[in-house]
Amino acid sequence: MNVGDEMRSFMTKEFGKEAYEKKNSQAFKRYLVENDVSFRQMVKQLFPDLGATQVRAILNNDNTAPLFNAIVEDGLRIGFERQANWQRLVARDIPSDQFTQAWYYLEEPDEDDYDLRDIGQGAPIPVGTIHLGDQSIKMHKRGRGIEWTDEAQRANIDLVSLWFERLGRNLGRNYESIAVERLLNGYFADGSDAPPTLGVGTAGELGLTDMFYGTAYMQDTFGFNPNLAMMNLETATRWAETRDNGYLVFQNDVANGNFPNVINSAPFINNSIPDNRIVLVDTNAALVRYVGKPFGVESERNVKTQVEGSYGTEISEFVPFEKNARLVITLDEAR
């Protein structure tokens, strides 16, 4: 039995005939794990010169067709995960086996109860309490499809891989905007997890001391250390134009084509953030991502058009974890 036969036999036995017919990339990766072989090793065995191989050579071979969706997924992931910035915002991925996820929270004790204190003999130990919230988190299914006409299947893999990466990058940018919106406004419609806000020294102006004050305020008031400042391009440009007695403070950065740092890192630019707003974020605690289904690719053939399609989907949701691990600086309001 050759490699292709073994793969088809395994996938059909473990995941059913439908998973194999849909060329499920997750089932294919399971095959790799079970057989302790890497994706690259598998590709090399089936197609020694993959880059020059036409799409149709893979899709039309029943023993290798599942490999194609793994290639699609790999290309999309390069753009979606490695060339997008949403992962910088996530403290942790939380696996979930339910599409509607219960929301748990830690009841905040009195401020003094955060401290370690001397406890007398037999005295109660101060505690925080984890509660099940009366609201739930509904995860969303998101995806994108790629369809292949018979003519398009003549393209070689090296060419289409570049398109996969571009599409993945666009998907990643859209996904990033969802994460930014959650940090800016919270997840729940009632605003219960919206971040606190803070004005600046002089309404309508942005200075170095405003970022210093915002950072210190967040540390002193809430106990979080912001390591990222999010803003749109116009606000980032205002920051780059900061002057002190008429002198352009960040002249060297601008001359070198770099955005000057805000709280020790370059600004995180996303244009879904309104003008006059900067969001300081402690990325170690501000946002988690619930994952119901990891990103995967399946195929389906349209019986009417006879067009083969590859469809990538994932099920997840971004939710603020610590409400006060973000602080919105309102540049049009004085503190």
Side-chain angles (χ1 to χ4, degrees), residues 128-273:
T129 306
I130 295 176
H131 293 281
L132 175 63
D134 56 5
Q135 303 184 85
S136 60
I137 298 160
K138 183 179 179 181
M139 281 179 277
H140 290 80
K141 183 176 183 179
R142 302 180 178 94
R144 182 67 184 267
I146 305 168
E147 292 187 336
W148 301 92
T149 62
D150 291 340
E151 294 81 4
Q153 290 183 23
R154 296 178 183 274
N156 65 42
I157 294 297
D158 265 353
L159 176 63
V160 300
S161 291
L162 293 175
W163 194 82
F164 294 155
E165 289 183 30
R166 189 188 76 178
L167 177 58
R169 185 166 57 250
N170 291 341
L171 292 174
R173 287 174 62 86
N174 177 262
Y175 202 53
E176 174 191 309
S177 293
I178 297 171
V180 168
E181 197 277 333
R182 297 291 186 266
L183 288 168
L184 180 63
N185 298 311
Y187 173 79
F188 296 113
D190 65 0
S192 58
D193 59 347
T197 63
L198 179 71
V200 291
T202 302
E205 297 183 8
L206 173 62
L208 295 174
T209 55
D210 291 313
M211 291 299 97
F212 168 80
Y213 187 92
T215 300
Y217 177 86
M218 196 168 167
Q219 292 170 339
D220 184 58
T221 305
F222 304 119
F224 292 103
N225 298 305
N227 57 352
L228 196 68
M230 305 191 311
M231 63 195 76
N232 66 19
L233 180 59
E234 181 175 338
T235 304
T237 302
R238 284 181 62 187
W239 175 252
E241 293 171 343
T242 300
R243 293 179 179 273
D244 181 25
N245 293 323
Y247 174 71
L248 192 63
V249 175
F250 302 118
Q251 183 174 358
N252 291 336
D253 295 278
V254 174
N256 292 325
N258 300 318
F259 271 108
N261 284 352
V262 185
I263 57 172
N264 297 321
S265 68
F268 188 103
I269 298 175
N270 186 288
N271 284 328
S272 61
I273 300 175

Side-chain angles (χ1 to χ4, degrees), residues 35-322:
N35 289 272
D36 194 26
V37 61
S38 71
F39 177 71
R40 292 185 179 278
Q41 289 172 328
M42 185 69 173
V43 167
K44 193 170 183 179
Q45 288 186 54
L46 294 172
F47 295 95
D49 189 11
L50 178 67
T53 301
Q54 293 184 353
V55 170
R56 62 177 180 172
I58 304 176
L59 281 178
N60 296 337
N61 184 334
D62 196 43
N63 278 351
T64 62
L67 174 66
F68 179 70
N69 280 342
I71 294 172
V72 174
E73 180 187 338
D74 190 59
L76 290 176
R77 280 187 180 279
I78 290 175
F80 182 70
E81 295 184 350
R82 302 176 204 170
Q83 296 180 8
N85 291 321
W86 62 265
Q87 288 183 310
R88 291 180 60 194
L89 305 176
V90 178
R92 187 165 299 180
D93 283 348
I94 310 296
S96 175
D97 58 358
Q98 302 176 22
F99 291 164
T100 299
Q101 170 71 42
W103 179 59
Y104 297 92
Y105 68 96
L106 177 65
E107 184 179 47
E108 297 181 358
D110 293 336
E111 184 177 343
D112 290 342
D113 285 344
Y114 280 112
D115 300 330
L116 287 175
R117 294 182 295 170
D118 292 334
I119 302 172
Q121 186 69 29
I125 299 174
V127 298
T129 306
I130 295 176
H131 293 281
L132 175 63
D134 56 5
Q135 303 184 85
S136 60
I137 298 160
K138 183 179 179 181
M139 281 179 277
H140 290 80
K141 183 176 183 179
R142 302 180 178 94
R144 182 67 184 267
I146 305 168
E147 292 187 336
W148 301 92
T149 62
D150 291 340
E151 294 81 4
Q153 290 183 23
R154 296 178 183 274
N156 65 42
I157 294 297
D158 265 353
L159 176 63
V160 300
S161 291
L162 293 175
W163 194 82
F164 294 155
E165 289 183 30
R166 189 188 76 178
L167 177 58
R169 185 166 57 250
N170 291 341
L171 292 174
R173 287 174 62 86
N174 177 262
Y175 202 53
E176 174 191 309
S177 293
I178 297 171
V180 168
E181 197 277 333
R182 297 291 186 266
L183 288 168
L184 180 63
N185 298 311
Y187 173 79
F188 296 113
D190 65 0
S192 58
D193 59 347
T197 63
L198 179 71
V200 291
T202 302
E205 297 183 8
L206 173 62
L208 295 174
T209 55
D210 291 313
M211 291 299 97
F212 168 80
Y213 187 92
T215 300
Y217 177 86
M218 196 168 167
Q219 292 170 339
D220 184 58
T221 305
F222 304 119
F224 292 103
N225 298 305
N227 57 352
L228 196 68
M230 305 191 311
M231 63 195 76
N232 66 19
L233 180 59
E234 181 175 338
T235 304
T237 302
R238 284 181 62 187
W239 175 252
E241 293 171 343
T242 300
R243 293 179 179 273
D244 181 25
N245 293 323
Y247 174 71
L248 192 63
V249 175
F250 302 118
Q251 183 174 358
N252 291 336
D253 295 278
V254 174
N256 292 325
N258 300 318
F259 271 108
N261 284 352
V262 185
I263 57 172
N264 297 321
S265 68
F268 188 103
I269 298 175
N270 186 288
N271 284 328
S272 61
I273 300 175
D275 290 340
N276 294 318
R277 295 293 182 270
I278 294 175
V279 187
L280 302 185
V281 183
D282 183 339
T283 59
N284 296 306
L287 193 71
V288 295
R289 185 175 75 124
Y290 290 94
V291 182
K293 173 186 173 295
F295 189 82
V297 179
E298 294 183 340
S299 281
E300 194 167 303
R301 188 170 182 83
N302 189 309
V303 294
K304 293 183 178 180
T305 63
Q306 296 299 302
V307 172
E308 187 87 18
S310 296
Y311 306 95
T313 60
E314 63 91 46
I315 298 174
S316 67
E317 190 51 81
F318 296 107
V319 180
F321 180 65
E322 288 281 2

